[in-house]
Amino acid sequence: MTSFRPKTVIEPFRIKSVEHIKQTTREQREEALAAAYYNPFLLKSEDVMIDLLTDSGTGAMSKQQWAGMMLGDESYAGSDSFFKFDAAVRKITGYRHVLPTHQGRAAERILFSAMLCKGDIVPNNTHFDTTRANVEYRGAIAKDILIAAGHDPSLVHPFKGNIDLIELARLLVASKHDTDGAAKVPIVMITVTNNSGGGQPVSMANLRAASKLCRDYGVPLFLDACRFAENAYFIKLREDGYQDKSPLEIAQEMFSHADGCTMSAKKDGLANIGGFLAFNDDELADKAKNILILSEGYVTYGGLAGYDMEAIAVGLEEVMREDYLAYRITSTQYLGSVLSGKHGIPIVQPPGGHAIYIDAKAMLPHIPQSEYPAWTLALILYLEGGIRSVEIGSVMFGRQPDGSEIPAANELVRLAFPRRVYTQSHVDYVAEVLGYIASKKDQIRWVRMMESPPVLRHFTAKFQPAHDGVLLADK
Ligand SMILES: Cc1ncc(COP(=O)(O)O)c(C=O)c1O
């Protein structure tokens, strides 16, 4: 007899502790938006019903993680909690040196301070913004070399996060023959999954080939591993030869192709804070530990409390569970298929691991990029449904270092899902609100930027609706 195989993927957890969601009316949200100068970053979180601003540090911890926090050993040196943390990181990565840090960006800063000089080039599939900023802070050049398929939002490809191997080889050859320091590549990074490129995965074949190139040229390869577990699960689903392997085995192989990693434990560490830098090189360890002690803390706690390290150690075990990863990837894909299939909303295809990215340029062709279509769509999403998202478009990337404006390559609205926080009905609600907005898309008006700081303007810029205070016109 064949056994019953349910199609419904259930949340693989029961809810033990709840957080109340304040239900708001459209009028209340209109007031809240005006008070926040039409900038979602300036909203109070209590006025947000579904918060999809980021998946970073916003996840729900398990009872084992909370219990682990009570075991936190707060000794300055050699704490129990550090050894649990160290063992959990080594089990997955296999790297000898594990340095705890308060976030991923601290791991980046320490790594680049130890490895980069002015004028060096760092290739990456796509640098995340803190990674780019930390490379540039050293006077080095952050070079994104994503495969061409990764630049086309509507193209379906299983591994749109892959690094361009031909360009990587070219940079490594130029570095080898560099005599005046103008083309030196001291490190190569690959971001798994590729957050800034739509949360798209990198294949094992691509990691293996990049690794071979880097080893042939004697250049270390580091993973920006924030979403390593989601990437491992995509490999299991999409790459030949991995279907029967566990996410842990796949992750271990991914890390074996690299020489080290930076990690924000706020993502696939299933923790609310924390990160680490891990690698094998003993010489680098001496330098990095000195910088760690100078700026984060002693080597057995970095920027973390003992209880944070306990929570991360447990989180790293839990994130490798196949039922968790199946639920995580399925719920993102489900939202993507309802938005594009039922409501005809253009999204970056295929859906990534942690987020759906709506292509506002394609959805709202009547709004020129100079009028910020993705920012406007994010505002309407809040106004109509109390849902907070983030613009990844010309407000975030349009201003150039010389102060001039160049439209961003894409106008995306990212809906990033906190881990283990929202249920199926929340996802259905998001889809329903977006379906309503899509049915009125021709009536959407836009905003004008009134005030903005010279850098990172999306966090604090102030806006106003450009049409008599109206964002969604009657007709
Ligand atoms: C790919 C990637 N790298 C690095 C970081 C930085 O991590 P953190 O926010 O912990 O500093 C992030 C955070 O979102 C990220 O997505």
Side-chain angles (χ1 to χ4, degrees):
M1 204 176 75
T2 53
S3 57
F4 170 58
R5 283 181 160 249
K7 284 207 223 59
T8 311
V9 175
I10 61 168
E11 285 90 2
F13 49 81
R14 273 191 290 266
I15 296 166
K16 199 182 189 75
S17 169
V18 297
E19 223 178 321
H20 181 249
I21 294 177
K22 184 172 97 182
Q23 312 271 328
T24 52
T25 61
R26 191 181 193 279
E27 289 66 39
Q28 287 169 327
R29 294 193 292 266
E30 212 160 352
E31 269 177 35
L33 259 192
Y37 301 99
Y38 298 89
N39 183 335
F41 283 100
L42 302 180
L43 286 167
K44 290 185 182 153
S45 67
E46 65 162 8
D47 292 331
V48 176
M49 285 165 58
I50 308 277
D51 205 344
L52 307 182
L53 186 69
T54 176
D55 66 321
S56 180
T58 51
M61 293 210 297
S62 66
K63 64 179 182 180
Q64 284 82 3
Q65 285 178 291
W66 283 110
M69 289 186 78
M70 290 304 295
L71 301 174
D73 174 356
E74 305 305 336
S75 305
Y76 191 93
S79 78
D80 257 13
S81 304
F82 170 74
F83 291 113
K84 283 187 214 163
F85 171 85
D86 181 69
V89 175
R90 278 159 174 262
K91 179 175 168 189
I92 298 171
T93 66
Y95 301 138
R96 258 201 315 281
H97 302 285
V98 179
L99 281 59
T101 59
H102 81 279
Q103 291 203 195
R105 66 198 67 185
E108 292 163 1
R109 184 181 49 76
I110 293 168
L111 177 68
F112 298 144
S113 302
M115 294 200 65
L116 296 184
C117 296
K118 199 164 181 278
D120 287 348
I121 296 171
V122 182
N124 195 330
N125 46 355
T126 313
H127 288 82
F128 179 68
D129 54 13
T130 59
T131 326
R132 171 176 293 279
N134 274 301
V135 168
E136 291 174 351
Y137 189 69
R138 298 289 304 160
I141 299 159
K143 203 158 171 53
D144 292 344
I145 53 166
L146 186 64
I147 55 164
H151 293 291
D152 180 348
S154 60
L155 184 85
V156 177
H157 178 293
F159 292 106
K160 278 169 96 170
N162 283 353
I163 197 163
D164 182 337
L165 294 166
I166 296 176
E167 186 57 14
L168 177 60
R170 195 189 65 73
L171 290 169
L172 290 170
V173 170
S175 172
K176 188 177 171 191
H177 297 112
D178 175 55
T179 45
D180 57 2
K184 187 165 164 249
V185 175
I187 181 171
V188 173
M189 301 279 303
I190 297 184
T191 307
V192 294
T193 57
N194 187 23
N195 183 11
S196 307
Q200 300 292 325
V202 177
S203 71
M204 194 71 87
N206 190 253
L207 285 174
R208 198 181 295 120
S211 170
K212 175 154 185 356
L213 274 174
C214 289
R215 283 176 187 168
D216 285 351
Y217 286 90
V219 176
L221 171 64
F222 271 62
L223 299 184
D224 176 341
C226 299
R227 297 176 183 83
F228 73 94
E230 291 172 11
N231 200 92
Y233 196 68
F234 276 120
I235 289 176
K236 183 176 172 76
L237 292 179
R238 298 182 183 170
E239 194 161 351
D240 282 348
Y242 290 93
Q243 280 66 42
D244 296 329
K245 293 206 188 300
S246 69
L248 174 62
E249 287 169 323
I250 299 172
Q252 286 168 332
E253 184 181 337
M254 284 165 52
F255 286 109
S256 77
H257 293 309
D259 302 288
C261 70
T262 55
M263 173 75 187
S264 167
K266 299 172 76 174
K267 285 83 171 175
D268 279 351
L270 299 181
N272 300 124
I273 195 72
F276 56 85
L277 171 62
F279 51 83
N280 283 327
D281 183 335
D282 297 331
E283 215 175 293
L284 174 61
D286 291 341
K287 277 195 205 161
K289 281 180 186 171
N290 282 333
I291 305 170
L292 181 79
I293 292 171
L294 204 64
S295 57
E296 289 278 297
Y298 185 62
V299 291
T300 58
Y301 72 88
L304 297 174
Y307 55 70
D308 293 323
M309 292 188 284
E310 295 275 349
I312 296 168
V314 177
L316 288 171
E317 284 280 336
E318 291 178 352
V319 80
M320 295 273 77
R321 289 186 61 148
E322 203 157 328
D323 54 1
Y324 161 74
L325 286 166
Y327 136 80
R328 172 87 177 147
I329 301 300
T330 308
S331 62
T332 312
Q333 280 174 347
Y334 166 77
L335 178 61
S337 65
V338 177
L339 294 187
S340 59
K342 184 167 169 201
H343 300 307
I345 297 172
I347 60 168
V348 173
Q349 292 286 6
H354 66 296
I356 293 291
Y357 295 68
I358 300 171
D359 184 347
K361 197 157 59 166
M363 181 175 169
L364 307 173
H366 64 288
I367 307 185
Q369 274 193 273
S370 55
E371 314 295 334
Y372 310 121
W375 191 271
T376 304
L377 183 58
L379 296 179
I380 305 265
L381 194 52
Y382 175 74
L383 188 62
E384 297 302 331
I387 300 161
R388 178 155 63 172
S389 54
V390 68
E391 184 247 29
I392 301 185
S394 294
V395 175
M396 197 180 263
F397 294 124
R399 174 173 284 158
Q400 303 307 300
D402 66 0
S404 64
E405 288 275 332
I406 299 180
N410 289 303
E411 294 292 334
L412 304 176
V413 173
R414 187 185 73 176
L415 311 171
F417 281 84
R419 292 166 179 79
R420 306 190 289 201
V421 169
Y422 294 115
T423 63
Q424 175 75 34
S425 70
H426 295 116
V427 174
D428 283 330
Y429 173 79
V430 172
E432 186 184 339
V433 172
L434 273 160
Y436 170 77
I437 294 171
S439 73
K440 306 253 175 205
K441 62 182 184 186
D442 298 337
Q443 291 153 246
I444 293 178
R445 298 298 172 254
W446 47 89
V447 285
R448 193 151 290 145
M449 194 186 290
M450 308 306 288
E451 237 182 271
S452 72
V455 286
L456 296 175
R457 64 180 176 178
H458 51 288
F459 290 125
T460 53
K462 296 179 178 171
F463 297 81
Q464 248 176 23
H467 296 259
D468 302 327
V470 171
L471 285 174
L472 193 65
D474 278 342
K475 263 281 169 240

